[in-house]
Amino acid sequence: MNKERILLGIDPGTIIMGYGVLSVKANKPRLEAMGVLKLNKFENHYLRLRYIFDRVIQLIDSYHPDELAIEAPFFGKNVQSMLKLGRAQGVAIAAALHRDIPICEYAPLKIKMAITGNGQASKEQVAGMLQRILHIPEENMLPQLDATDGLAAAFCHYLETSRPKIEKSYSDWKDFMAKNPSKVRK
């Protein structure tokens, strides 16, 4: 796959929404952009949702992503927060659907595991690992870790979709040898 792909990653939020854009060429990821949408200036939750929709459309129109990777909301103790977060995620998904962008959703644990190898990693650990992997200069790192969380969703999607596909599966070595006699030396 030598065609360049653009991946947009979003970390949904109702106060701050993070995003990251990766370009992938010759299977090498490169940071294009990352940032945050600050939503606390809107007191009305519905206006926040409208702003999310409008800004995600602008990001799509600016970067022309081939795919959207979005972090799934996780269940916390506060049900109202979970509902608001789910709405924010849904609006971002609706914006991508409005522009016919395919969407993949990843659990926070999966994203952290893909980036750091530890599903319980902190936001700081995720940001530090992305900085090292993508060679992001310190001055380009943002103080809001929501930005690197959005970038992490895009990078997780890159990792998930860049693995070679295994066409056959085998239950054990005996099964492999039986299905591949030309590959077995006698």
Side-chain angles (χ1 to χ4, degrees), residues 31-68:
L31 173 67
E32 291 297 320
M34 71 174 157
V36 294
L37 311 180
K38 294 181 180 178
L39 305 164
N40 56 353
K41 59 187 167 191
F42 302 101
E43 288 186 31
N44 184 312
H45 180 68
Y46 302 110
L47 290 178
R48 289 179 186 184
L49 296 176
R50 180 179 176 174
Y51 184 73
I52 290 167
F53 184 87
D54 291 344
R55 286 292 288 130
V56 172
I57 289 288
Q58 288 175 356
L59 289 168
I60 290 168
D61 291 347
S62 295
Y63 294 102
H64 308 286
D66 297 292
E67 298 153 72
L68 170 75

Side-chain angles (χ1 to χ4, degrees), residues 72-106:
F74 60 93
F75 182 73
K77 292 180 182 172
N78 187 331
V79 176
Q80 285 301 314
S81 294
M82 171 80 172
L83 287 171
K84 287 180 179 179
L85 189 59
R87 288 178 185 161
Q89 184 206 35
V91 168
I93 288 171
L97 291 171
H98 188 68
R99 290 289 194 255
D100 296 317
I101 307 295
I103 300 148
C104 286
E105 185 178 23
Y106 296 98

